């Protein structure tokens, strides 16, 4: 009897083992196609990735989490100082946010989040001309292709239709006298020339009118093709037939207006192929083709960072590891796995990033007519990183950090915020690139074109996803990087949080302030824009502008230069308007603020040879660029922060060199001004106080000045996109095994940067946004009862 029972148990055990082995074989088939069976089991053992998620049954996790958190007395542990701020991790936060951040953000715990790994297929696998979004089962097609399976070829013309006096059509950046690549609306020399694949960008193919004055500008005659660029006659100036070796040796002449503008090419004659710039350089899971990531099998997303069910778990990004997989029951295993759940420990806030159609990002990056447009870096002939001075590079930097962040989630049900990645920095800089961008339909207004892109993105996420209507978009985040910020945001999305560089509340300047007509939004009808301000400090946030890493400034620690080495009382170096040579001609430039400053304190002669009425030796207000601008800032106590054509990067210049910013722009917020205590590290004056500026600054005593300088030194790293630099440093190390000098310097910085600061602010907003107070949720926040009560 006993023997028979033992025998039956043995057969049962054998059957169980067989079924488990079969289950693992199926999982291996879908999840680990590139890893051998032995490597697969070794990966599981060495990376602590359990393969059974069925034991993770949640029972009131929020209460369990609260009960295990330490008790915090926020008022006692983090009292406000005399300037009504709480210093947390080096930043003087405003008291209403400071105490909560100091205590609650610092003790937040990880919680279990179920990440959804999708595996939906696309028609014809996108015909090799696009990337399959495996969450939606839709193709994102490369430039020049469309249709459900990317099988339809588009014709993106380079030129507008011809006119009697303009045989090549009216001007557009893509205007072309030679071969037009209609997949990208880009111009090349074409067949019949020695170098048919050499770009023929913009004015290169047209005749140039010499300037009528010695210092005047040359003008392009867009109605007359320049046949010399195609000539094989060595005595004439050419381009499409010039041998680079001979040109570099000065043996032949060529047209100086021709140069190498397109991304992915290097050298005076575009003769060296180099890496193009893509978001996160495709995360190592794809190829960057002119700005559009062509993802490897099993991966998708704008940066190829999202794994599907056919990817190898050993290659998953860090923000999805270690993962505990919930494998389908073997008895009910579908023929094809289209979704897997992976439990990952994460800290809130969690941000879901929409994988939008490429019209809003990839297609704007692919085929840029100027390689510097809307990105923060390019690559040289050795594929080494060259950081750009593109102020709008912050949008790409922030986007890349978010995509690689542990705060990212693929599960919209668990998300606290939703980021909508419309690259408006690309839309606005590429508005004149080609006829297919349809600027003509918007009366030439880039502001109207941008509004239309955002509105279409809003309709897309409303149609494809369920998340918008749950909060009327209040938990969504949009980034408006251009000079006028979110002034021309469509009315449908105004409930959302706006990330901007221009915090105009319209309390004083209640109309478009730009001096450039193409960005003016005053004429956009209220039926499209609504009647909202440009910035609402209760929900929006001003982010720092992008600044190229300056290795010498970091090595010299200019931000830490003490008071005794700062000999200039006040410093401002920038365009001062029409009263100066080469100054901006518009009276509306800088809303007249820089002009008023120069009239009072100008230290360089204007066109009439006059200095400012109150010119002083220790006050520098000049349009003449300093030979060492950063050192000049670091040699000053106070530095001017005024508008340009909308926002400018002067706040960042000041903070990064340790200078006390003097802000003059009524009703317009600066970076973090609604959450940081500006009184502790800056001076803000009204516009009508400009004549009294220097008297006000001289009234500060040494103790007050050193207090502000000390606080600038505490927060300066929050104005750096350090995470973006370090992500690129890691990519360079992984691919090429090298470490640049800028990477060495930034690796020694450990304080919170721009991205870390935004995450902290979102954590506070998650518990303090008024609209959330009546929202019932079972989410586990990883916080103590005191923190939840405080919120």
């Amino acid at each position: 009897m006993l023997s028979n029972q033992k025998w039956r148990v043995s057969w049962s055990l054998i059957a169980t083992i067989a079924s488990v082995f079969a289950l693992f074989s199926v999982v291996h088939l879908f999840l680990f196609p590139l890893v051998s069976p032995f490597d697969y089991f070794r990966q599981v053992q060495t990376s602590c990735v359990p393969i059974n998620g069925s034991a993770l049954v949640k029972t009131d996790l929020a209460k369990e989490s609260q009960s295990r958190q330490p008790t915090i007395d926020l008022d006692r542990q983090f009292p406000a100082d005399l300037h009504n701020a709480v210093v947390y991790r080096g930043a003087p936060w405003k008291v209403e946010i400071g105490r909560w951040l100091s205590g609650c953000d610092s003790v937040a715990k990880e919680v279990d989040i179920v990440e959804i790994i999708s595996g939906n297929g696309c028609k014809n696998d996108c015909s090799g001309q696009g990337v399959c979004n495996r969450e939606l089962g839709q193709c994102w097609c490369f430039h020049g292709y469309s249709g459900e399976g990317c099988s339809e070829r588009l014709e993106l013309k380079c030129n507008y239709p011809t006119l009697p006096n303009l045989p090549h059509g009216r001007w557009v950046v893509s205007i072309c006298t030679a071969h037009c690549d209609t997949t990208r609306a880009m111009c090349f020399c074409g067949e019949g020339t020695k170098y048919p694949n050499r770009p023929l960008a913009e004015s290169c193919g047209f005749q140039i009118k010499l300037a009528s004055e010695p210092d005047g500008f040359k003008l392009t005659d867009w109605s007359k093709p320049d046949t010399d660029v195609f000539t094989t006659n060595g005595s004439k100036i050419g381009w499409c037939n010039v041998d680079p070796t001979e040109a570099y040796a000065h043996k032949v002449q060529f047209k100086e207006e021709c140069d190498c503008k397109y991304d992915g090419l290097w050298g005076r004659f575009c003769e060296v192929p180099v890496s193009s710039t893509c978001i996160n350089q495709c995360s190592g899971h794809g190829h960057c083709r002119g700005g559009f990531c062509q993802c490897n099998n099993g991966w998708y997303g704008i940066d190829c960072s999202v794994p599907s069910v056919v990817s190898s778990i050993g290659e998953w990004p860090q923000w999805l590891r270690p993962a505990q997989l919930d494998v389908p029951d073997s008895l009910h295993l579908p023929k094809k796995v289209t979704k897997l759940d992976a439990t990952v420990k994460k800290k809130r806030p969690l941000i879901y990033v929409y994988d939008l159609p490429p019209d809003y990002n990839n297609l704007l990056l692919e085929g840029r007519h100027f390689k510097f447009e809307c990105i923060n870096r390019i690559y040289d002939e050795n594929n080494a990183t060259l950081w750009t001075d593109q102020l709008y590079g912050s949008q790409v930097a922030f986007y890349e950090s978010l995509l690689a962040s542990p705060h990212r989630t693929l599960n919209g049900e668990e998300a606290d915020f939703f980021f909508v990645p419309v690259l408006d920095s690309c839309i606005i800089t590429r508005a004149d690139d080609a006829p297919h961008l349809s600027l003509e339909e918007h009366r030439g207004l880039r502001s109207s074109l941008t509004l239309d892109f955002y509105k279409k993105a809003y309709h897309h996420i409303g149609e494809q996803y369920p998340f918008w209507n749950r909060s009327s978009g209040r938990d969504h985040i949009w980034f408006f990087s251009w000079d006028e910020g979110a002034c021309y945001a469509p009315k449908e999305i105004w409930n959302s949080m706006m990330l901007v560089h221009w915090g105009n509340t319209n309390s004083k300047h209640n109309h478009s302030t730009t001096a450039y007509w193409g960005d003016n939004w005053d004429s956009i009808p209220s039926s499209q824009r609504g009647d909202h301000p440009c910035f609402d400090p209760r929900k929006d946030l001003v982010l720092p502008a992008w600044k190229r890493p300056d290795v010498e400034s970091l090595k010299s620690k200019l931000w830490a230069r003490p008071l005794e080495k700062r000999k200039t009382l006040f410093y401002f170096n920038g365009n001062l308007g029409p009263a100066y040579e080469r100054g901006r001609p518009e009276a509306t430039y800088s809303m007249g603020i820089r002009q008023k400053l120069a009239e009072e304190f100008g230290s360089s002669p204007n066109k009439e040879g006059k200095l400012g009425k109150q010119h002083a030796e220790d006050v520098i207000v000049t349009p003449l660029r300093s030979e060492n601008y950063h050192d000049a800032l670091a040699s000053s106590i106070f530095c001017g922060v005024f508008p340009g054509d909308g926002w400018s990067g002067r706040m960042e210049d000041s903070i990064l060199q340790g200078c006390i910013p003097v802000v003059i722009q009524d009703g317009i917020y600066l970076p973090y001004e609604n959450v940081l205590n500006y009184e502790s590290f800056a001076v803000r004056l009204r516009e009508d106080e400009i004549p009294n500026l220097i008297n006000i600054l001289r009234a500060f005593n040494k103790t007050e000045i050193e207090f502000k300088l000390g606080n600038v030194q505490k927060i300066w790293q929050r104005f750096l996109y350090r995470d973006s630099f370090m992500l690129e440093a890691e990519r360079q190390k992984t691919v090429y095994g090298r470490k640049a000098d800028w990477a060495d310097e930034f690796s020694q910085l450990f304080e919170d940067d721009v991205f870390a600061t935004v995450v902290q602010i979102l954590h506070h907003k998650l518990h303090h946004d008024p609209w959330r107070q009546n929202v019932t949720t079972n989410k586990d926040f990883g916080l103590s009862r005191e923190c939840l009560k405080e919120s």
Side-chain angles (χ1 to χ4, degrees):
M1 186 77 175
L2 182 61
S3 176
N4 289 342
Q5 185 177 3
K6 287 183 177 180
W7 184 250
R8 287 196 298 271
V9 170
S10 299
W11 277 113
S12 174
L13 179 61
I14 291 171
T16 301
I17 293 173
S19 64
V20 170
F21 182 80
L23 175 61
F24 272 96
S25 298
V26 172
V27 173
H28 173 68
L29 177 64
F30 285 107
L31 287 177
F32 308 94
L34 303 178
V35 185
S36 70
F38 297 104
D39 287 339
Y40 163 61
F41 285 108
R42 189 180 301 117
Q43 173 68 31
V44 171
Q45 293 169 0
T46 59
S47 63
C48 301
V49 185
I51 302 296
N52 189 350
S54 60
L56 290 177
V57 180
K58 296 182 180 180
T59 55
D60 205 354
L61 285 177
K63 290 183 179 178
E64 180 184 340
S65 173
Q66 296 168 28
S67 65
R68 66 174 181 261
Q69 299 297 321
T71 300
I72 298 175
D73 187 338
L74 295 175
D75 290 333
R76 176 171 294 182
Q77 290 189 36
F78 305 101
D81 63 19
L82 293 177
H83 291 265
N84 203 33
V86 177
V87 176
Y88 164 51
R89 294 173 73 171
W93 301 93
K94 288 185 177 178
V95 67
E96 60 268 22
I97 184 174
R99 289 198 189 101
W100 194 90
L101 276 177
S102 296
C104 298
D105 185 65
S106 61
V107 300
K109 302 296 183 182
E110 292 181 331
V111 296
D112 288 331
I113 299 298
V114 176
E115 297 290 357
I116 300 173
I117 311 301
S118 301
N120 294 315
C122 290
K123 183 178 180 180
N124 299 331
D125 201 23
C126 304
S127 307
Q129 298 296 347
V131 176
C132 179
N133 178 315
R134 304 248 175 209
E135 181 181 10
L136 300 177
Q138 297 176 8
C139 286
W140 297 160
C141 304
F142 301 144
H143 236 314
Y145 298 89
S146 69
E148 187 179 353
C150 298
S151 59
E152 299 175 20
R153 176 71 179 264
L154 299 176
E155 289 290 321
L156 306 180
K157 297 184 182 301
C158 288
N159 303 353
Y160 280 107
T162 61
L163 297 170
N165 61 330
L166 295 172
H168 292 277
R170 66 181 181 81
W171 181 86
V172 67
V173 170
S174 61
I175 192 169
C176 183
T177 59
H179 170 69
C180 176
D181 176 358
T182 56
T183 64
R184 296 176 291 171
M186 299 175 72
C187 190
F188 296 86
C189 287
E191 294 183 8
T193 62
K194 187 175 181 180
Y195 299 98
N197 295 320
R198 181 173 291 172
L200 198 69
E202 203 185 9
S203 61
C204 180
F206 294 88
Q207 293 184 23
I208 302 297
K209 297 178 182 178
L210 297 178
S212 57
E213 300 177 3
D215 296 329
F217 295 102
K218 295 179 180 180
L219 298 176
T220 302
D221 188 341
W222 300 104
S223 66
K224 296 180 180 179
D226 187 350
T227 56
D228 284 348
V229 301
F230 307 104
T231 185
T232 56
N233 185 339
S235 64
K236 292 186 178 181
I237 298 174
W239 170 255
C240 290
N241 299 289
V242 174
D243 184 287
T245 304
E246 292 184 353
Y248 290 137
H250 305 290
K251 294 180 179 180
V252 295
Q253 289 182 305
F254 60 91
K255 189 172 182 178
E256 293 292 338
E257 284 75 17
C258 298
D259 59 4
C260 191
K261 293 183 171 71
Y262 295 167
D263 194 17
L265 298 168
W266 195 262
R268 187 67 176 80
F269 300 90
C270 296
E271 71 273 17
V272 182
V274 299
S275 293
S276 297
T277 304
C278 276
I279 301 296
N280 278 328
Q281 295 309 113
C282 308
S283 307
H285 298 301
H287 166 67
C288 179
R289 37 170 292 161
F292 197 130
C293 282
Q294 185 170 4
C295 300
N296 299 337
N297 184 41
W299 297 85
Y300 66 100
I302 189 173
D303 64 341
C304 303
S305 64
V306 184
S308 70
V309 297
V310 298
S311 63
S312 169
I313 194 172
E315 297 179 353
W316 282 10
Q318 290 298 319
W319 52 274
L320 284 174
R321 298 168 64 184
Q324 183 169 357
L325 295 184
D326 185 4
V327 179
D329 191 323
S330 62
L331 297 178
H332 303 93
L333 192 67
K335 293 182 180 179
K336 184 177 181 180
V337 176
T338 59
K339 184 175 78 70
L340 285 172
D341 292 340
T343 302
V344 185
K345 290 191 175 297
K346 290 178 173 288
K347 278 189 176 184
R348 293 191 185 275
L350 296 177
I351 306 166
Y352 179 90
V353 184
Y354 287 106
D355 185 35
L356 294 181
D359 308 69
Y360 307 101
N361 38 65
N362 268 336
L363 290 184
L364 292 166
L365 288 167
E366 186 184 10
R368 301 188 312 282
H369 287 78
F370 301 105
K371 63 183 73 177
F372 296 100
E373 285 177 333
C374 68
I375 45 81
N376 58 1
R377 64 184 184 278
I378 59 173
Y379 296 93
D380 68 10
E381 69 272 22
N382 298 312
N383 283 324
T385 311
L386 293 179
W387 297 105
T388 75
D389 287 316
Q390 174 63 265
L391 288 174
Y392 312 110
S394 57
Q395 193 168 57
V396 166
F398 181 84
Y399 191 13
E400 290 183 320
S401 291
L402 181 52
L403 289 170
S405 169
H407 290 278
R408 182 185 180 186
T409 181
L410 299 177
N411 186 349
E413 301 298 332
E414 283 284 2
D416 304 307
F417 296 94
F418 297 82
F419 184 70
V420 191
V422 179
L423 296 184
D424 80 313
S425 60
C426 284
I427 298 169
I428 208 106
T429 55
R430 288 202 56 192
D432 293 322
D433 268 9
H436 70 276
L437 291 179
S438 303
L439 185 62
E440 189 175 23
E441 299 175 9
H442 295 275
R443 296 167 293 142
L445 294 175
R446 301 187 301 184
S447 53
S448 178
L449 175 69
T450 307
L451 182 151
D452 190 55
F453 266 85
Y454 278 101
K455 190 169 183 177
K456 289 177 179 176
Y458 155 75
H459 284 301
H460 171 79
I461 63 177
E463 293 166 358
Q464 299 289 336
Y465 300 89
F467 310 124
W468 179 272
N469 289 336
R470 297 179 183 180
S471 67
S472 298
R474 290 182 178 88
D475 52 7
H476 282 55
I477 302 172
W478 307 72
F479 197 146
F480 283 76
S481 70
W482 203 243
D483 291 39
E484 292 278 279
C487 298
Y488 38 82
K491 62 182 181 182
E492 290 85 355
I493 71 172
W494 188 248
N495 279 339
S496 301
M497 179 184 183
M498 307 295 172
L499 302 180
V500 299
H501 298 316
W502 182 238
N504 186 6
T505 62
N506 303 93
S507 56
K508 177 175 181 178
H509 303 284
N510 57 2
H511 52 78
S512 183
T513 59
T514 178
Y516 179 61
W517 71 272
D519 291 340
N520 193 298
W521 47 268
D522 287 338
S523 62
I524 297 177
S526 58
S527 60
Q528 298 177 37
R529 181 187 170 272
D531 190 27
H532 60 74
C534 299
F535 178 79
D536 184 346
R538 296 169 298 181
K539 66 180 182 67
D540 302 332
L541 186 67
V542 180
L543 291 188
W546 170 261
K547 289 293 177 179
R548 179 176 58 84
D550 185 333
V551 176
E552 292 307 314
S553 292
L554 286 174
K555 287 181 178 178
S556 302
K557 291 184 170 53
L558 296 184
W559 55 271
R561 185 172 286 178
L563 175 59
E564 56 267 22
K565 292 187 178 181
R566 295 177 179 267
K567 304 302 182 181
T568 302
L569 175 68
F570 177 83
Y571 182 84
F572 181 78
N573 183 186
N575 199 307
L576 297 177
Y580 291 81
E581 294 293 338
R582 299 188 182 276
R584 286 288 293 266
E586 310 94 339
T588 55
Y589 175 69
S590 187
M591 300 182 294
I593 293 174
R594 296 190 185 191
Q595 295 90 313
K596 294 176 184 175
L597 181 83
E599 185 180 348
E600 295 290 337
F601 308 106
S603 55
S604 295
N606 61 17
K607 290 178 180 178
E608 297 178 356
K610 296 180 179 178
L611 299 176
K613 290 183 291 187
Q614 300 184 55
H615 169 60
E617 291 299 321
D618 59 350
V619 174
I620 298 176
V621 176
T622 177
L624 304 177
R625 190 71 171 187
S626 168
E627 292 182 3
N628 193 330
Y629 177 59
H630 288 169
D631 186 72
L633 289 163
S635 299
S636 306
I637 301 171
F638 297 98
C639 295
V641 176
F642 320 119
D645 192 12
W647 64 269
S648 75
R650 304 303 174 162
M651 183 68 183
E652 294 75 13
D653 290 339
S654 177
I655 292 289
L656 295 178
Q657 317 320 319
C659 188
I660 300 171
V662 178
V663 181
I664 304 179
Q665 46 186 49
D666 294 355
I668 300 170
Y669 280 69
L670 272 296
Y672 315 129
E673 194 170 358
N674 48 339
V675 293
L676 291 185
N677 179 27
Y678 261 53
E679 183 185 355
S680 67
F681 63 86
V683 177
R684 182 179 261 283
L685 302 179
R686 299 188 313 273
E687 292 171 18
D688 61 11
E689 292 182 289
I690 289 177
N692 202 32
L693 167 66
I694 300 306
N695 293 331
I696 293 173
L697 298 183
R698 293 195 193 282
F700 284 100
N701 61 42
K702 182 180 179 182
T703 301
E704 292 171 319
I705 291 173
E706 288 186 332
F707 172 77
K708 289 181 183 292
L709 286 174
N711 277 329
V712 170
Q713 294 177 13
K714 291 177 182 177
I715 65 165
W716 74 277
Q717 291 188 42
R718 294 185 185 271
F719 287 73
L720 276 178
Y721 286 87
R722 176 182 176 274
D723 189 65
S724 179
F725 301 139
M726 297 315 298
L727 285 172
E728 177 67 4
E730 185 60 33
R731 289 190 289 263
Q732 285 284 334
K733 181 180 178 182
T734 300
V735 177
Y736 301 108
R738 61 190 174 205
K739 191 174 185 181
D741 53 354
W742 52 264
D744 275 328
E745 292 301 320
F746 279 100
S747 66
Q748 299 174 36
L749 304 178
F750 300 101
E751 297 297 328
D752 296 326
D753 74 335
V754 171
F755 186 74
T757 303
V758 173
V759 169
Q760 290 165 358
I761 293 169
L762 291 180
H763 198 188
H764 179 266
K765 286 175 64 67
L766 173 59
H767 299 283
H768 292 83
D769 276 341
W771 69 268
R772 292 185 188 264
Q773 302 309 307
N774 297 322
V775 176
T776 303
T777 179
N778 292 320
K779 291 180 179 179
D780 183 1
F781 293 105
L783 291 175
S784 67
R785 288 191 180 91
E786 289 75 20
C787 290
L788 294 176
K789 182 179 178 181
E790 174 73 12
S791 66

